[in-house]
Amino acid sequence: MPGWSSPKMAPPGRVQRLLLLVSLSARLYFAHGIKSPINTNDNLPDNAEIAKNPGGPLQDVKLAAVAGGAAPPPPRRSSGWKLAEEEACREDLARLCPKHSWSNNLAVLECLQDRKEETELASDCNHLLWNYKRNLTTDPKFESVAVEVCKSTLTDNKECAGEERGKGYLVSCLVDHRINITEYQCNQYITKMATIIFSDFRLICGFMDRCLDDINALHCGSVSTGEKDVHSQGEVIACLEKGLVSEVEDRADHYVIKEDCKKAIMRVAELSSDDFHLDRHLYFACRDDRERFCENTPAGEGRVYKCLFNHKFEDSMSTKCREALSTRQKLIAQDYKVSYSLAKACKQDLRKYRCNVDTTLPRGREAKLSYLLLCLESAVHRGRVVSGECQGEMLDYRRMLMEDFSLSPEIVLHCRGEIDTHCSGLHHKGRTLHCLMRVSRDKGSMDTLCQKSLQTLIQETDPGADYRIDRALNEACESVIQTACKHIRNGDPMILSCLMEHLYTDKMVEDCERRLLELQYFISRDWKLDPILYRKCQNDAARICHTHGWNETSEFMPAGAVFSCLYRHAYRTEEQGRRLSRDCKTEVQRILHQRALDVKLDPDLQKRCMTDLGKWCSEKTEPGQELECLQDHLEDLGTDCRDVVGNLTELESEDIQIEALLIRACEPVIQSHCHEVADNQIDTGDLMECLVLNKHQKEMNEKCAVGVTHFQLIQMKDFRFSYKFKMACKEDVLKLCPNIKKKVDVVICLSTMVRNDTLQEVKDQRVSMKCRRQLRVEELEMSEDIRLDPDLYDSCRQDIKDHCQNVAYGNAQVIECLKDNKKHVSQRCHQKLFKLQETEMMDPELDFQLMRVCKQMIRRFCSEADPKNMLQCLKQNKNSELMDPKCKQMITKRQITQNTDYRLNPVLRKACKADIPKFCQQILNKAKDDDELEGQVVSCLKLKYADQRLSPDCEDQIRVILQESALDYRLDPQLQLQCSDEIPRLCAEEVAAQEQTGQVEECLKVNLLKIKHEGCKKEVLNILKESKADIFVDPVLHTACALDIKHQCAAIPPGRGRQMSCLMEALQDKRVRLQPECKKRLQDRIDMWSYAAKVAPAEGFSDLAGQVLSSPAKNYILSMMSMCVVLLFLMGLLCGRITKRVTQELKDRKLGHPCTVNGLHSQARKRKDYAPLT
């Protein structure tokens, strides 16, 4: 049997002799009829009851003597009176107790009172044992023994030394203070007496007087021995304890126990804290469970209690024992001194840190377990030294509170509704608490007092300091810890951090993920619950955020306010001042990285955005989707929510590693291309910039690409969301583009100013150099995805659905698709595309597709070229044998685009600045802004080139265009437009060949007579006309006559038809022998020109002059025209002399002869000085 048996626990030496004296004194009571002192007091019910039953078994003289009778007992042996020899208990003794214990009355007493519950004692034996114990506890001789054994203890303990003798107060006082007794013999004696005293509540000094009314009110049992046996007397105290617990939990039918009785109940619980034998109700309820779970655990110092507590939720634990243990734990929660081991281990630390002296708290609050834990945890978190033994005890009781919600009366009281509705039947192993956490996290509508109670409990238990305190979390995450966090010491606070880092990874299991987020939801609402963060940041928090101590809270400071304050100061520059220390900033970044995984871990965000989350993001349930959704709907959010989401996004732009899921997805790209910036302690937007630049590397996976693009799209909503751009251009924006918030508008505003200043060659540009550099980066990034240009995207949204639905975003693929379908898109989209193309042609670096496809060719051919002239350089090397075919194809596409409108060819536009308004003004007058002219201006300039009327610079550019379009008909938009039906009909084979050697144009020339469409015929005739001006414009002829040009016309410079005239003269010269192919082609051209002259005669003098000047026989024509002019001049002179004489004679006849008077008067009137005579 567990407990003390006589052979095992008999005190040695002097104590044995003293106990023998005790037994002897008991014998004298019975032998000589000495009346117990207790009988001199008020008549007790038990004695009265004995007196009322004279005919019962207790008519024995010995019992009469015990009851106070005068009859002498029968003679006894010299060895003294023994319980074993009494008739009333002999049968029970023989049945229940080993024979070797019969000689020791105390051993017999212990054996009988510790019997199994189902074993009944005879009523006479019960009475005998009761009176025996009663006399023992009140006998002055016992007090004398106590004074003798505990002499030095009484010297130190003035309270017990001053107790009145003869009433049992001395022994009770020593039992009360036995924790402080250091004398071994005294401790042994008092321990043995305690087993007697605590066997019945009526033996506890003063208890019955204080609690009699409460016992009757709660119907906890009778004080009569006849009605309640020794076993059920322990039930009386248990009943009172349950009543006290019900009162604390504010149950509906609770009874308010008197204060004196409350103190007595707690005192009894405290005095029975070291040995579970002393809690009679728990002892009997858990005796079998003790054998099952704690067989090898020695009694004393609360060890059996702790062992049973640890096995409380085992499946094989009896319900009755579990309930008794819960009641005791609830008493410990009300007064830590009810736990012997905790009170002893932490006694010095409590005194050292003044945890039991706090005048600001209600009376008795400092005795609560929660206050002790908070006070000592505060000392630990402040770096103070708390003994290891005390910390071990605290750990056990913190775990105990987390396992069983019913030990926290505030939760039982305030969370009753939530428990009944959502968490019934989940009592074991902390599951109910986690259920309440989940309700609070998921529903967001928990009762305020319940929420506060849960938060308080988390602070009291402090599972952030040691995950093992949370049993539900520990069991759920054991496998994850063993694999992902095995490098961290067991119980280290970094375990929780490690688990958060592996959230949503392959190593995480669902149950652990759920439990972890439930706990982190509450830890995130109080920065102090992360011990590492608190240790590193407590000084910064006090200095910057005006925080209180660890165990002090402010009702006016909302959840998460301190951490919000810390992270706002974490990214300040030196100029802004009030920065965090390096260690604190590191921890703040760690927390930010972890909490970005779930918006519910950001209290401020969840509080302000609760409505918006329900409105816009109710279907976004995957990790990280809620924040992305809020960012996507930034313009639609309420003011408070928009502010907090904006601040968080702005913070992410500086440190993108806050986006833990994105960083995790982009790990391969970071390791391959961005490891240098990722390893930097301070990220100032470099990592995101690197990810954007490498978004199309082979290491880039879909998740990473989507995340990076999403962040780019969010940045478009506010220029502040792009940290590098904000820091570089903040002053420029305030000065030059005030009141503009959207990043795309800011970029357009600044880039327009940069372009205007550059075109006007302003010496001091308005936009600063550092802003111009970053502006360039932003422009390049925006060119990659149409969604990064909201204006273009909104204008073409429907066109994308109609024409590019299956085209993926990114790589500017959608933009390229729209360009390919430009003729079919809406007017609004068409105009925006034209503006985009105009910008790209002026700055080819912004043409993402061109730069991507031709990346290697740019390195090969144009590494030293000015970025503004990149396309020009590629065009010049387009026909190189080393040119990549894909790049060549892309260059051709851009050339086709350029030729549709002179405004898309910056070089041509600049070279022909004066020629275009001079010769093509009529076309410009009809044109609309942002609409292509379909090559009309270029065609106009081509004709003027044929007429040799262009300026030298413009002529050079048109010559290049003519040469290129002669090789590839697609570069002539007017030809394509007018001959869209004729080309497939007449030149299908040449088109299919795709040789781009001028064969399509040659085909059209040869089939000129077969062309039905007048517009197409006119364009072919124009080509023929243009070809007269320069042989390079006619690639087929040039190829055929290349050798002859080298031999016959080497000294003649190209242009203005000079080499063509040279070949024509050679053709007419009989002495010159041309190559057969060249001769044939020249003859064909003469026939074509002759036909063209007949079909399309000159429309005016200027056209005629142009044809003459462009004719290969212009010298002959001009000579003949000159001769005609000379002949006409000579004929004019001759005819003029004859007609003059005839005219003069006729005049003379009319006016008269000059010798007559009339003739003289007539001549005189013609003189200037003529005056008539009066």
Side-chain angles (χ1 to χ4, degrees), residues 1 85 115 123 133 161 227 318 336 365 439 520 558 566 673 708 724 773 832 916-917 949 1044 1068 1090-1091 1148 1153 1169:
M1 181 194 297
E85 296 175 355
R115 75 192 186 282
S123 178
K133 290 189 290 183
E227 296 182 23
S318 66
Y336 72 90
R365 166 75 186 273
V439 170
Q520 284 290 348
L566 289 173
H673 304 283
V708 172
K724 299 194 80 171
R773 287 199 206 98
K832 296 296 180 183
I916 291 173
R949 300 174 63 185
D1044 296 298
Q1068 295 172 4
S1090 175
Y1091 176 76
D1148 289 345
H1153 199 273
D1169 57 348

Side-chain angles (χ1 to χ4, degrees), residues 260-279:
D260 286 348
C261 185
K262 286 180 186 177
K263 293 178 181 177
I265 293 170
M266 297 306 294
R267 186 61 177 155
V268 168
E270 179 186 344
L271 293 174
S272 60
S273 63
D274 68 329
D275 190 348
F276 93 115
H277 289 83
L278 304 184
D279 187 332

Side-chain angles (χ1 to χ4, degrees), residues 422-479:
H422 304 286
C423 309
S424 57
L426 299 174
H427 188 279
H428 297 340
K429 302 178 183 178
R431 295 195 184 105
T432 302
L433 279 175
H434 269 277
C435 173
L436 289 172
M437 293 179 193
R438 184 174 67 254
V439 170
S440 178
R441 179 178 180 273
D442 295 342
K443 305 294 182 183
S445 57
M446 178 176 280
D447 179 77
T448 305
L449 291 175
C450 179
Q451 177 91 13
K452 186 176 180 181
S453 300
L454 281 171
Q455 191 70 46
T456 302
L457 177 64
I458 299 298
Q459 185 179 6
E460 292 168 4
T461 55
D462 195 17
D466 191 335
Y467 74 96
R468 295 172 298 178
I469 291 168
D470 189 342
R471 182 171 178 177
L473 176 71
N474 189 13
E475 291 180 356
C477 297
E478 185 177 3
S479 62

Side-chain angles (χ1 to χ4, degrees), residues 1073-1135:
R1073 294 187 62 183
L1074 298 177
Q1075 296 292 323
E1077 184 65 20
C1078 176
K1079 189 174 182 178
K1080 180 179 180 299
R1081 292 291 179 184
L1082 279 173
Q1083 192 61 53
D1084 290 342
R1085 292 300 181 267
I1086 292 172
D1087 294 340
M1088 290 178 186
W1089 292 332
S1090 175
Y1091 176 76
K1094 293 176 183 178
V1095 174
E1099 297 177 358
F1101 181 77
S1102 59
D1103 193 15
L1104 180 61
Q1107 288 186 12
V1108 172
L1109 291 174
S1110 60
S1111 172
K1114 68 176 181 178
N1115 294 331
Y1116 173 77
I1117 295 171
L1118 289 174
S1119 299
M1120 294 302 294
M1121 288 177 66
S1122 300
M1123 289 176 64
C1124 289
V1125 170
V1126 171
L1127 287 173
L1128 287 172
F1129 179 73
L1130 293 174
M1131 288 176 65
L1133 288 177
L1134 180 61
C1135 293

Side-chain angles (χ1 to χ4, degrees), residues 247-259:
E247 180 183 341
V248 171
E249 294 175 353
D250 195 24
R251 294 181 185 170
D253 56 347
H254 76 274
Y255 165 79
V256 180
I257 299 174
K258 293 184 299 186
E259 285 298 321

Side-chain angles (χ1 to χ4, degrees), residues 945-1013:
Y945 173 82
D947 295 340
Q948 301 178 4
R949 300 174 63 185
L950 299 178
S951 62
D953 290 341
C954 184
E955 189 176 277
D956 291 340
Q957 291 303 317
I958 292 297
R959 182 187 304 113
V960 172
I961 291 175
L962 286 169
Q963 291 172 1
E964 292 170 345
S965 59
L967 290 169
D968 190 346
Y969 76 98
R970 295 173 301 171
L971 300 184
D972 189 335
Q974 279 295 308
L975 180 66
Q976 264 201 304
L977 179 66
Q978 300 297 336
C979 300
S980 56
D981 296 328
E982 305 293 347
I983 291 174
R985 184 172 65 86
L986 300 173
C987 310
E989 294 183 6
E990 288 79 0
V991 172
Q994 296 183 347
E995 294 181 356
Q996 298 175 7
T997 56
Q999 294 302 319
V1000 175
E1001 280 196 3
E1002 186 68 15
C1003 169
L1004 290 172
K1005 292 174 186 176
V1006 171
N1007 294 283
L1008 181 59
L1009 297 175
K1010 297 179 182 179
I1011 295 176
K1012 299 177 182 179
H1013 192 279

